Amino acid sequence: VFRMRGIFDLLSPSGRALFHLGMTGGFAWAAGQWWTLCTATFLHGSFLHILFNMLIMRMFMPGVVDLFGVPRAFIIYMAAGAGGFLISNVITNAPTIGASGAIFGLLGALISYGRRTGESHVTSQLWIYAILLFVMSFMMSTGVNNWAHAGGFVSGWAAASMMPTGNR
């Protein structure tokens, strides 16, 4: 079932549909549904939500794939998404969905790579993106899970720090 209250709710699934598809939050933990830490990354609240996430992911995912390879990039993405939701669930228990925590994790992975390889000019630019995205997310009026963003960033950084680089 879709709900439509305005242009920003275009193709928005209902809360009930999101619950059945794998939204995460305190209610999911109470029900023992730990897997929602992974499934919620693939759910979005509207057409614009998925569009914005895809546009930003298009900026960072190719670099992570180039530096770490496809399998490791997928692991970084999933670890960042799950880590972001884990932090969010522990701190807020709020129901949540979306890929932005995982996307922040991709950014954290790129910064981790830049620090490990000494490419400070790249790392400086990425820190500007990170700060800008964090500031923008705090300026949004509702529906933004900044704990998932921060947790995703740290989880992506940590996952990338433990991985070798290269496509092998």
Side-chain angles (χ1 to χ4, degrees):
V1 175
F2 291 101
R3 60 175 160 60
M4 180 80 169
R5 292 185 301 251
I7 189 69
F8 293 111
D9 287 330
L10 183 63
L11 299 177
S12 296
S14 68
R16 183 173 181 212
L18 291 171
F19 170 77
H20 288 295
L21 291 170
M23 177 171 49
T24 194
F27 67 90
W29 285 63
Q33 298 171 338
W34 56 267
W35 59 86
T36 61
L37 293 175
C38 295
T39 56
T41 303
F42 298 101
L43 300 174
H44 289 78
S46 70
F47 176 74
L48 285 176
H49 184 199
I50 196 167
L51 178 67
F52 288 138
N53 275 208
M54 288 171 56
L55 289 171
I56 299 296
M57 186 169 6
R58 179 72 178 103
M59 291 173 58
F60 302 124
M61 182 60 94
V64 174
V65 168
D66 287 345
L67 298 172
F68 294 94
V70 173
R72 291 184 196 123
F74 179 74
I75 291 168
I76 290 168
Y77 179 85
M78 292 304 296
F85 288 139
L86 177 65
I87 296 297
S88 171
N89 288 352
V90 167
I91 294 175
T92 71
N93 281 327
T96 190
I97 54 169
S100 55
I103 292 168
F104 272 89
L106 297 175
L107 185 53
L110 291 170
I111 291 172
S112 170
Y113 176 85
R115 289 185 49 90
R116 283 176 23 191
T117 60
E119 297 187 34
S120 60
H121 62 287
V122 175
T123 306
S124 298
Q125 182 66 41
L126 291 168
W127 272 116
I128 291 170
Y129 277 125
I131 292 166
L132 197 64
L133 287 172
F134 275 114
V135 167
M136 286 174 37
S137 68
F138 277 102
M139 291 174 43
M140 302 292 283
S141 59
T142 60
V144 176
N145 189 334
N146 290 307
W147 286 110
H149 293 173
F153 183 88
V154 170
S155 298
W157 177 299
S161 297
M162 292 185 279
M163 291 187 183
T165 59
N167 290 323
R168 294 177 235 208

